[in-house]
Amino acid sequence: MSFIDTLLYRTLKDGKEYERLIPVYKGTEHNFDKETDNSDTYDTLRYMSEWAYKYADQMKDVAPLLKTRTLQETVNKIYNFLYSHFQYKLDGQTQNLMSPSAAWHFRKTGFDCKTYSILASTILQNLGIPHSFRMVQQAGII
Protein backbone atom coordinates (compact mmCIF):
# COMPACT_ATOMS: atom_id res chain seq x y z
CA MET A 1 0.00 0.00 0.00
CA SER A 2 1.42 3.39 -0.98
CA PHE A 3 2.06 6.11 1.59
CA ILE A 4 -0.91 8.12 0.30
CA ASP A 5 -3.18 5.06 0.34
CA THR A 6 -2.16 4.40 3.94
CA LEU A 7 -2.87 8.00 4.94
CA LEU A 8 -6.29 7.95 3.31
CA TYR A 9 -7.35 4.48 4.48
CA ARG A 10 -10.49 4.43 6.61
CA THR A 11 -13.02 1.95 7.92
CA LEU A 12 -16.02 1.82 5.61
CA LYS A 13 -19.69 1.41 6.44
CA ASP A 14 -21.07 -2.02 5.56
CA GLY A 15 -23.51 -0.64 2.98
CA LYS A 16 -25.88 -3.61 3.12
CA GLU A 17 -28.83 -1.32 2.40
CA TYR A 18 -27.33 -0.55 -1.04
CA GLU A 19 -26.28 -4.06 -2.12
CA ARG A 20 -29.62 -4.98 -3.68
CA LEU A 21 -29.81 -1.59 -5.44
CA ILE A 22 -26.56 -1.83 -7.41
CA PRO A 23 -26.29 -4.43 -10.18
CA VAL A 24 -23.95 -7.37 -9.68
CA TYR A 25 -20.46 -6.83 -11.11
CA LYS A 26 -19.96 -8.43 -14.52
CA GLY A 27 -16.41 -7.41 -15.38
CA THR A 28 -17.20 -3.85 -16.45
CA GLU A 29 -14.07 -1.78 -16.11
CA HIS A 30 -11.78 -0.04 -18.56
CA ASN A 31 -8.03 -0.15 -18.05
CA PHE A 32 -5.52 1.75 -20.11
CA ASP A 33 -1.87 2.73 -19.94
CA LYS A 34 -1.56 6.41 -20.76
CA GLU A 35 1.99 6.08 -22.10
CA THR A 36 1.41 2.96 -24.20
CA ASP A 37 -1.88 4.25 -25.57
CA ASN A 38 -0.43 7.72 -26.19
CA SER A 39 -3.32 9.10 -24.15
CA ASP A 40 -3.35 12.40 -22.35
CA THR A 41 -5.47 13.86 -19.57
CA TYR A 42 -8.07 15.09 -22.05
CA ASP A 43 -8.49 11.55 -23.37
CA THR A 44 -8.98 10.37 -19.79
CA LEU A 45 -11.67 13.00 -19.20
CA ARG A 46 -13.42 11.90 -22.39
CA TYR A 47 -13.27 8.23 -21.33
CA MET A 48 -14.66 9.16 -17.90
CA SER A 49 -17.57 11.05 -19.42
CA GLU A 50 -18.38 8.22 -21.84
CA TRP A 51 -18.16 5.66 -19.02
CA ALA A 52 -20.39 7.68 -16.70
CA TYR A 53 -23.11 8.08 -19.32
CA LYS A 54 -22.86 4.45 -20.41
CA TYR A 55 -23.39 3.13 -16.87
CA ALA A 56 -25.54 5.83 -15.24
CA ASP A 57 -28.47 3.42 -15.01
CA GLN A 58 -26.51 1.33 -12.48
CA MET A 59 -27.14 4.03 -9.84
CA LYS A 60 -30.78 4.76 -10.68
CA ASP A 61 -32.03 3.07 -7.49
CA VAL A 62 -29.39 4.61 -5.21
CA ALA A 63 -29.60 8.21 -6.42
CA PRO A 64 -33.12 8.98 -5.10
CA LEU A 65 -32.01 7.91 -1.60
CA LEU A 66 -29.39 10.69 -1.68
CA LYS A 67 -31.76 13.49 -2.70
CA THR A 68 -32.66 15.99 0.02
CA ARG A 69 -34.46 19.34 0.31
CA THR A 70 -31.66 21.47 -1.13
CA LEU A 71 -28.91 21.10 -3.70
CA GLN A 72 -26.21 21.72 -1.06
CA GLU A 73 -27.61 19.03 1.27
CA THR A 74 -27.90 16.61 -1.65
CA VAL A 75 -24.30 17.21 -2.74
CA ASN A 76 -23.14 16.73 0.86
CA LYS A 77 -25.10 13.49 1.11
CA ILE A 78 -23.57 12.20 -2.15
CA TYR A 79 -20.09 13.07 -0.87
CA ASN A 80 -20.73 11.31 2.45
CA PHE A 81 -22.10 8.24 0.66
CA LEU A 82 -18.99 7.98 -1.54
CA TYR A 83 -16.57 8.72 1.30
CA SER A 84 -18.20 6.26 3.72
CA HIS A 85 -18.67 3.33 1.33
CA PHE A 86 -15.69 3.36 -1.07
CA GLN A 87 -11.98 3.10 -0.23
CA TYR A 88 -9.47 5.36 -1.96
CA LYS A 89 -6.42 3.84 -3.66
CA LEU A 90 -4.08 5.45 -6.19
CA ASP A 91 -3.86 3.91 -9.66
CA GLY A 92 -0.43 2.79 -10.79
CA GLN A 93 0.78 3.17 -14.38
CA THR A 94 -2.37 1.45 -15.60
CA GLN A 95 -5.34 3.78 -15.30
CA ASN A 96 -8.60 2.19 -14.20
CA LEU A 97 -12.14 3.33 -14.88
CA MET A 98 -14.87 1.35 -13.17
CA SER A 99 -18.61 1.18 -13.68
CA PRO A 100 -20.65 1.62 -10.48
CA SER A 101 -21.18 -2.15 -10.21
CA ALA A 102 -17.42 -2.73 -10.48
CA ALA A 103 -16.75 0.07 -7.99
CA TRP A 104 -19.18 -1.50 -5.53
CA HIS A 105 -17.54 -4.90 -6.01
CA PHE A 106 -14.04 -3.45 -5.40
CA ARG A 107 -15.12 -0.81 -2.88
CA LYS A 108 -13.02 -2.24 -0.03
CA THR A 109 -9.93 -2.61 -2.24
CA GLY A 110 -10.33 0.92 -3.51
CA PHE A 111 -9.81 3.04 -6.60
CA ASP A 112 -8.76 6.59 -7.36
CA CYS A 113 -10.47 9.87 -8.19
CA LYS A 114 -11.44 8.89 -11.74
CA THR A 115 -13.83 6.20 -10.56
CA TYR A 116 -15.03 8.40 -7.68
CA SER A 117 -15.86 11.03 -10.30
CA ILE A 118 -17.68 8.50 -12.45
CA LEU A 119 -19.73 7.40 -9.43
CA ALA A 120 -20.62 10.99 -8.55
CA SER A 121 -21.57 11.69 -12.17
CA THR A 122 -23.87 8.67 -12.41
CA ILE A 123 -25.69 9.79 -9.25
CA LEU A 124 -25.93 13.41 -10.41
CA GLN A 125 -27.25 12.30 -13.81
CA ASN A 126 -29.99 10.27 -12.18
CA LEU A 127 -30.97 13.28 -10.07
CA GLY A 128 -30.96 15.61 -13.08
CA ILE A 129 -28.21 17.78 -11.57
CA PRO A 130 -26.02 19.47 -14.22
CA HIS A 131 -22.29 18.83 -13.79
CA SER A 132 -19.07 18.31 -15.71
CA PHE A 133 -15.67 16.71 -15.29
CA ARG A 134 -12.72 18.98 -14.54
CA MET A 135 -9.02 18.33 -14.37
CA VAL A 136 -7.35 19.30 -11.09
CA GLN A 137 -3.84 18.93 -9.83
CA GLN A 138 -2.93 18.88 -6.19
CA ALA A 139 0.20 20.66 -5.03
CA GLY A 140 3.11 18.26 -4.73
CA ILE A 141 1.47 15.52 -6.81
CA ILE A 142 2.50 14.99 -10.43
Side-chain angles (χ1 to χ4, degrees), residues 30-93:
H30 177 68
N31 304 312
F32 62 99
D33 181 326
K34 285 169 70 170
E35 288 183 21
T36 303
D37 294 341
N38 293 318
S39 297
D40 62 19
T41 300
Y42 299 101
D43 292 323
T44 303
L45 290 169
R46 182 176 45 82
Y47 295 147
M48 290 166 58
S49 180
E50 290 171 3
W51 209 248
Y53 283 101
K54 183 176 182 176
Y55 293 105
D57 66 311
Q58 291 185 356
M59 295 303 275
K60 71 181 182 330
D61 294 329
V62 172
L65 302 175
L66 304 175
K67 185 168 177 57
T68 63
R69 295 178 295 123
T70 68
L71 178 60
Q72 186 62 54
E73 288 175 2
T74 298
V75 170
N76 289 342
K77 195 165 183 180
I78 293 168
Y79 169 83
N80 287 325
F81 167 74
L82 296 175
Y83 183 85
S84 300
H85 292 91
F86 298 93
Q87 197 65 251
Y88 183 86
K89 179 182 172 204
L90 283 173
D91 279 349
Q93 181 62 35

XYZ file of all heavy atoms in Angstrom, residues 30-93:
550
model
N -12.595 -0.408 -17.408
C -11.776 -0.039 -18.556
C -10.396 0.310 -18.020
O -10.268 1.179 -17.154
C -12.398 1.168 -19.272
C -11.598 1.667 -20.419
N -11.438 0.946 -21.579
C -10.903 2.809 -20.597
C -10.687 1.632 -22.417
N -10.347 2.772 -21.848
N -9.406 -0.390 -18.489
C -8.033 -0.153 -18.048
C -7.205 0.303 -19.243
O -7.332 -0.247 -20.329
C -7.422 -1.429 -17.465
C -8.254 -1.982 -16.334
O -8.649 -1.259 -15.449
N -8.548 -3.261 -16.373
N -6.378 1.293 -19.032
C -5.522 1.753 -20.109
C -4.231 2.311 -19.533
O -4.188 2.777 -18.402
C -6.224 2.787 -20.990
C -6.625 4.053 -20.274
C -5.848 5.189 -20.369
C -7.781 4.089 -19.509
C -6.220 6.351 -19.715
C -8.160 5.248 -18.861
C -7.374 6.387 -18.956
N -3.186 2.212 -20.307
C -1.870 2.728 -19.941
C -1.664 3.997 -20.753
O -1.567 3.937 -21.981
C -0.804 1.683 -20.255
C 0.595 2.112 -19.880
O 0.904 3.322 -19.982
O 1.383 1.247 -19.501
N -1.623 5.128 -20.066
C -1.556 6.414 -20.762
C -0.343 6.507 -21.697
O -0.445 7.023 -22.791
C -1.546 7.560 -19.760
C -2.903 7.806 -19.150
C -2.881 8.731 -17.982
C -2.582 10.144 -18.343
N -2.794 11.084 -17.234
N 0.793 5.976 -21.262
C 1.992 6.076 -22.097
C 1.896 5.162 -23.307
O 2.182 5.572 -24.427
C 3.237 5.766 -21.274
C 3.576 6.865 -20.293
C 4.854 6.587 -19.519
O 5.683 5.782 -19.990
O 5.018 7.183 -18.450
N 1.503 3.917 -23.105
C 1.407 2.956 -24.198
C 0.340 3.364 -25.201
O 0.521 3.228 -26.409
C 1.089 1.545 -23.654
O 2.104 1.184 -22.722
C 1.036 0.512 -24.762
N -0.772 3.862 -24.704
C -1.884 4.248 -25.568
C -1.720 5.663 -26.134
O -2.594 6.126 -26.867
C -3.205 4.193 -24.794
C -3.576 2.792 -24.387
O -3.048 1.834 -24.980
O -4.395 2.650 -23.467
N -0.633 6.332 -25.779
C -0.427 7.720 -26.186
C -1.619 8.589 -25.811
O -2.047 9.450 -26.566
C -0.140 7.825 -27.690
C 1.174 7.198 -28.057
O 2.170 7.365 -27.353
N 1.197 6.455 -29.149
N -2.182 8.335 -24.642
C -3.324 9.095 -24.150
C -2.838 10.256 -23.298
O -1.766 10.202 -22.709
C -4.219 8.210 -23.290
O -4.749 7.156 -24.053
N -3.652 11.295 -23.243
C -3.347 12.400 -22.350
C -4.529 12.610 -21.404
O -5.522 11.883 -21.448
C -2.995 13.666 -23.123
C -4.130 14.171 -24.006
O -5.308 13.793 -23.785
O -3.844 14.961 -24.921
N -4.438 13.610 -20.570
C -5.471 13.864 -19.574
C -6.815 14.143 -20.230
O -7.857 13.741 -19.714
C -5.052 15.052 -18.686
O -3.829 14.699 -18.048
C -6.094 15.347 -17.629
N -6.815 14.788 -21.373
C -8.074 15.091 -22.049
C -8.743 13.822 -22.567
O -9.969 13.716 -22.557
C -7.857 16.131 -23.152
C -7.344 17.420 -22.557
C -6.003 17.759 -22.624
C -8.208 18.256 -21.853
C -5.527 18.921 -22.036
C -7.747 19.426 -21.258
C -6.407 19.741 -21.350
O -5.948 20.886 -20.749
N -7.932 12.845 -23.003
C -8.494 11.546 -23.373
C -9.129 10.888 -22.154
O -10.220 10.326 -22.239
C -7.403 10.618 -23.936
C -6.867 11.075 -25.269
O -7.655 11.580 -26.094
O -5.652 10.927 -25.487
N -8.458 10.967 -21.025
C -8.981 10.373 -19.791
C -10.320 11.005 -19.423
O -11.276 10.303 -19.086
C -7.979 10.539 -18.631
O -6.730 9.942 -19.011
C -8.491 9.893 -17.362
N -10.414 12.318 -19.492
C -11.673 13.005 -19.195
C -12.782 12.555 -20.147
O -13.930 12.356 -19.736
C -11.500 14.520 -19.269
C -10.658 15.142 -18.154
C -10.334 16.598 -18.477
C -11.354 15.030 -16.814
N -12.439 12.374 -21.416
C -13.423 11.903 -22.390
C -13.875 10.488 -22.049
O -15.070 10.187 -22.057
C -12.835 11.955 -23.805
C -13.819 11.532 -24.892
C -13.229 11.702 -26.297
N -11.876 11.225 -26.443
C -11.544 9.942 -26.654
N -12.470 9.025 -26.724
N -10.273 9.598 -26.797
N -12.919 9.606 -21.727
C -13.271 8.233 -21.334
C -14.180 8.246 -20.106
O -15.146 7.495 -20.031
C -12.029 7.412 -20.988
C -11.054 7.136 -22.103
C -9.695 7.034 -21.831
C -11.464 6.969 -23.417
C -8.780 6.766 -22.833
C -10.553 6.715 -24.426
C -9.206 6.606 -24.128
O -8.298 6.344 -25.108
N -13.850 9.087 -19.128
C -14.656 9.163 -17.902
C -16.089 9.575 -18.219
O -17.042 8.980 -17.709
C -14.027 10.145 -16.916
C -12.733 9.657 -16.305
S -11.814 10.968 -15.455
C -13.001 11.525 -14.246
N -16.240 10.578 -19.061
C -17.570 11.054 -19.425
C -18.356 9.957 -20.147
O -19.519 9.703 -19.827
C -17.446 12.295 -20.308
O -18.719 12.756 -20.665
N -17.722 9.310 -21.106
C -18.378 8.217 -21.835
C -18.800 7.105 -20.882
O -19.902 6.571 -20.974
C -17.443 7.663 -22.909
C -17.205 8.605 -24.063
C -16.104 8.134 -25.008
O -15.541 7.021 -24.807
O -15.783 8.881 -25.951
N -17.902 6.744 -19.968
C -18.156 5.656 -19.022
C -19.310 6.011 -18.089
O -20.180 5.189 -17.829
C -16.872 5.403 -18.233
C -16.713 4.007 -17.757
C -16.744 3.596 -16.460
C -16.486 2.838 -18.527
N -16.548 2.243 -16.383
C -16.384 1.758 -17.636
C -16.360 2.592 -19.887
C -16.175 0.458 -18.062
C -16.151 1.296 -20.317
C -16.053 0.258 -19.408
N -19.333 7.247 -17.615
C -20.388 7.681 -16.698
C -21.754 7.645 -17.384
O -22.735 7.184 -16.786
C -20.090 9.088 -16.179
N -21.828 8.097 -18.613
C -23.111 8.079 -19.321
C -23.523 6.651 -19.683
O -24.704 6.309 -19.611
C -23.070 8.975 -20.564
C -23.174 10.430 -20.181
C -22.047 11.239 -20.142
C -24.398 10.981 -19.790
C -22.143 12.563 -19.743
C -24.496 12.303 -19.397
C -23.362 13.083 -19.374
O -23.453 14.383 -18.971
N -22.559 5.837 -20.034
C -22.858 4.453 -20.406
C -23.461 3.667 -19.243
O -24.334 2.828 -19.443
C -21.575 3.771 -20.903
C -21.776 2.360 -21.383
C -20.481 1.796 -21.951
C -20.675 0.399 -22.490
N -19.466 -0.121 -23.130
N -22.978 3.936 -18.019
C -23.389 3.130 -16.870
C -24.201 3.894 -15.828
O -24.368 3.425 -14.707
C -22.157 2.492 -16.222
C -21.536 1.468 -17.135
C -20.365 1.746 -17.821
C -22.152 0.247 -17.341
C -19.808 0.818 -18.692
C -21.607 -0.689 -18.205
C -20.440 -0.391 -18.882
O -19.906 -1.323 -19.731
N -24.757 5.037 -16.198
C -25.545 5.831 -15.244
C -26.714 5.043 -14.675
O -27.060 5.196 -13.495
C -26.046 7.105 -15.914
N -27.307 4.175 -15.482
C -28.466 3.420 -15.008
C -28.154 2.511 -13.822
O -29.047 2.124 -13.081
C -29.067 2.601 -16.152
C -28.150 1.499 -16.643
O -26.948 1.793 -16.891
O -28.616 0.351 -16.773
N -26.875 2.204 -13.604
C -26.512 1.332 -12.481
C -26.726 2.005 -11.122
O -26.752 1.329 -10.100
C -25.058 0.861 -12.605
C -24.853 -0.086 -13.756
C -23.448 -0.642 -13.812
O -22.561 -0.286 -13.029
N -23.219 -1.538 -14.765
N -26.897 3.325 -11.107
C -27.142 4.031 -9.843
C -28.548 4.613 -9.760
O -28.848 5.398 -8.859
C -26.091 5.130 -9.643
C -24.676 4.595 -9.460
S -24.508 3.431 -8.097
C -24.274 4.562 -6.742
N -29.424 4.197 -10.645
C -30.783 4.757 -10.684
C -31.583 4.476 -9.422
O -32.453 5.273 -9.057
C -31.534 4.275 -11.919
C -31.953 2.813 -11.916
C -32.663 2.461 -13.211
C -33.179 1.071 -13.326
N -32.539 -0.011 -12.653
N -31.302 3.388 -8.717
C -32.033 3.074 -7.492
C -31.383 3.675 -6.246
O -32.044 3.838 -5.223
C -32.170 1.558 -7.326
C -33.039 0.945 -8.418
O -33.959 1.629 -8.908
O -32.790 -0.218 -8.792
N -30.108 4.009 -6.338
C -29.391 4.613 -5.205
C -29.605 6.123 -5.178
O -29.823 6.718 -4.120
C -27.879 4.283 -5.263
C -27.109 5.061 -4.206
C -27.645 2.782 -5.111
N -29.544 6.741 -6.338
C -29.604 8.210 -6.424
C -30.775 8.830 -5.668
O -30.564 9.794 -4.914
C -29.602 8.644 -7.889
N -32.000 8.333 -5.810
C -33.123 8.981 -5.095
C -32.962 8.962 -3.572
O -33.482 9.848 -2.889
C -34.347 8.153 -5.517
C -33.951 7.477 -6.773
C -32.468 7.265 -6.680
N -32.230 7.986 -3.049
C -32.008 7.912 -1.601
C -31.080 9.020 -1.109
O -31.016 9.295 0.088
C -31.430 6.554 -1.220
C -32.271 5.329 -1.599
C -31.526 4.047 -1.261
C -33.627 5.380 -0.920
N -30.356 9.653 -2.036
C -29.394 10.687 -1.676
C -29.940 12.096 -1.904
O -29.289 13.074 -1.579
C -28.092 10.472 -2.462
C -27.449 9.087 -2.277
C -26.247 8.939 -3.194
C -27.081 8.836 -0.832
N -31.136 12.186 -2.449
C -31.761 13.492 -2.704
C -32.366 14.026 -1.407
O -33.011 13.313 -0.660
C -32.840 13.364 -3.768
C -33.439 14.697 -4.154
C -34.280 14.547 -5.386
C -34.965 15.832 -5.786
N -34.086 16.949 -6.009
N -32.119 15.317 -1.162
C -32.660 15.988 0.022
C -33.397 17.251 -0.393
O -33.643 17.467 -1.583
C -31.525 16.333 1.016
O -30.644 17.251 0.387
C -30.763 15.086 1.454
N -33.679 18.118 0.568
C -34.458 19.336 0.310
C -33.726 20.355 -0.555
O -34.344 21.071 -1.326
C -34.855 20.006 1.627
C -35.797 19.177 2.476
C -36.117 19.852 3.798
N -34.905 19.948 4.616
C -34.401 21.073 5.104
N -35.002 22.210 4.909
N -33.293 21.056 5.821
N -32.411 20.446 -0.397
C -31.664 21.470 -1.131
C -30.521 20.840 -1.918
O -30.075 19.724 -1.618
C -31.058 22.517 -0.174
O -30.024 21.890 0.599
C -32.123 23.127 0.747
N -30.037 21.572 -2.904
C -28.905 21.099 -3.704
C -27.679 20.890 -2.815
O -26.992 19.868 -2.923
C -28.597 22.098 -4.826
C -27.403 21.751 -5.718
C -27.606 20.413 -6.411
C -27.179 22.867 -6.728
N -27.390 21.832 -1.927
C -26.213 21.720 -1.057
C -26.292 20.480 -0.173
O -25.313 19.751 -0.025
C -26.041 22.967 -0.196
C -24.758 22.959 0.630
C -23.508 22.930 -0.238
O -23.334 23.773 -1.110
N -22.639 21.963 -0.019
N -27.443 20.224 0.423
C -27.609 19.032 1.265
C -27.470 17.754 0.438
O -26.884 16.774 0.896
C -28.968 19.052 1.965
C -29.084 20.081 3.065
C -30.485 20.142 3.659
O -31.372 19.361 3.249
O -30.693 20.994 4.537
N -28.002 17.773 -0.780
C -27.897 16.607 -1.654
C -26.444 16.331 -2.015
O -25.984 15.191 -1.943
C -28.750 16.804 -2.927
O -30.116 16.946 -2.537
C -28.611 15.636 -3.879
N -25.724 17.365 -2.392
C -24.303 17.211 -2.743
C -23.520 16.686 -1.534
O -22.665 15.797 -1.668
C -23.724 18.532 -3.281
C -22.218 18.468 -3.416
C -24.376 18.877 -4.610
N -23.803 17.208 -0.355
C -23.138 16.727 0.857
C -23.462 15.261 1.121
O -22.587 14.486 1.527
C -23.532 17.565 2.075
C -22.934 18.953 2.040
O -21.982 19.222 1.320
N -23.518 19.862 2.797
N -24.700 14.877 0.883
C -25.102 13.493 1.110
C -24.419 12.551 0.103
O -24.011 11.446 0.451
C -26.631 13.359 1.038
C -27.130 12.057 1.605
C -28.620 12.103 1.862
C -29.067 10.795 2.505
N -30.503 10.795 2.776
N -24.291 12.996 -1.143
C -23.571 12.201 -2.152
C -22.116 12.038 -1.725
O -21.566 10.938 -1.770
C -23.671 12.857 -3.546
C -25.119 12.812 -4.050
C -22.723 12.182 -4.536
C -25.372 13.687 -5.266
N -21.481 13.131 -1.336
C -20.093 13.069 -0.870
C -19.948 12.085 0.293
O -19.055 11.234 0.289
C -19.603 14.460 -0.445
C -18.285 14.398 0.276
C -17.089 14.339 -0.433
C -18.230 14.354 1.666
C -15.870 14.249 0.230
C -17.023 14.264 2.333
C -15.848 14.215 1.614
O -14.654 14.107 2.276
N -20.817 12.193 1.277
C -20.735 11.308 2.445
C -20.967 9.849 2.072
O -20.314 8.958 2.613
C -21.717 11.748 3.536
C -21.252 13.005 4.222
O -20.062 13.230 4.413
N -22.191 13.867 4.579
N -21.871 9.602 1.143
C -22.101 8.237 0.657
C -20.825 7.686 0.034
O -20.383 6.572 0.366
C -23.252 8.219 -0.359
C -23.352 6.937 -1.132
C -23.829 5.780 -0.535
C -22.959 6.885 -2.462
C -23.918 4.590 -1.253
C -23.041 5.704 -3.183
C -23.523 4.557 -2.577
N -20.215 8.449 -0.864
C -18.993 7.984 -1.537
C -17.852 7.805 -0.541
O -17.152 6.791 -0.560
C -18.599 8.963 -2.647
C -19.588 9.086 -3.807
C -19.150 10.176 -4.767
C -19.776 7.765 -4.514
N -17.664 8.775 0.323
C -16.573 8.724 1.302
C -16.735 7.553 2.271
O -15.757 6.896 2.632
C -16.510 10.040 2.079
C -15.376 10.096 3.068
C -14.103 10.488 2.658
C -15.559 9.741 4.393
C -13.043 10.535 3.556
C -14.507 9.784 5.300
C -13.257 10.174 4.877
O -12.218 10.214 5.764
N -17.936 7.274 2.682
C -18.197 6.264 3.716
C -18.283 4.837 3.195
O -18.207 3.893 3.971
C -19.516 6.579 4.430
O -19.455 7.836 5.036
N -18.452 4.674 1.870
C -18.674 3.333 1.329
C -17.626 2.855 0.329
O -17.666 1.700 -0.092
C -20.059 3.263 0.676
C -21.167 3.372 1.662
N -21.725 4.583 2.011
C -21.792 2.441 2.402
C -22.664 4.379 2.911
N -22.729 3.091 3.170
N -16.689 3.728 -0.057
C -15.694 3.364 -1.068
C -14.300 3.783 -0.609
O -14.078 4.943 -0.287
C -16.013 4.049 -2.401
C -17.339 3.646 -2.988
C -18.484 4.386 -2.722
C -17.447 2.533 -3.798
C -19.711 4.033 -3.254
C -18.672 2.162 -4.342
C -19.807 2.915 -4.064
N -13.373 2.845 -0.630
C -11.981 3.098 -0.228
C -11.240 3.812 -1.360
O -11.485 3.545 -2.537
C -11.298 1.757 0.083
C -10.027 1.874 0.874
C -10.284 2.431 2.255
O -9.913 3.562 2.524
N -10.922 1.663 3.110
N -10.317 4.679 -0.987
C -9.466 5.363 -1.964
C -8.165 4.592 -2.125
O -7.578 4.122 -1.156
C -9.147 6.796 -1.513
C -8.329 7.539 -2.536
C -8.952 8.210 -3.577
C -6.947 7.534 -2.487
C -8.214 8.873 -4.544
C -6.192 8.191 -3.449
C -6.836 8.857 -4.467
O -6.097 9.492 -5.426
N -7.706 4.474 -3.377
C -6.421 3.836 -3.662
C -5.901 4.407 -4.978
O -6.612 4.412 -5.979
C -6.590 2.324 -3.786
C -5.320 1.590 -4.095
C -5.586 0.104 -4.237
C -4.352 -0.595 -4.740
N -4.684 -1.836 -5.413
N -4.680 4.894 -4.972
C -4.081 5.446 -6.186
C -3.942 4.383 -7.268
O -3.624 3.234 -6.974
C -2.681 5.989 -5.889
C -2.579 7.327 -5.191
C -1.122 7.612 -4.841
C -3.147 8.437 -6.038
N -4.179 4.781 -8.528
C -3.862 3.914 -9.655
C -2.354 3.909 -9.840
O -1.669 4.877 -9.501
C -4.486 4.439 -10.948
C -5.945 4.074 -11.094
O -6.441 3.238 -10.315
O -6.587 4.627 -12.003
N -1.841 2.850 -10.406
C -0.434 2.793 -10.794
C -0.304 3.326 -12.212
O -1.042 4.222 -12.630
N 0.606 2.753 -12.979
C 0.784 3.167 -14.379
C -0.486 2.905 -15.188
O -0.879 3.698 -16.020
C 1.969 2.427 -15.004
C 2.236 2.807 -16.442
C 2.592 4.280 -16.619
O 3.235 4.873 -15.768
N 2.165 4.865 -17.721
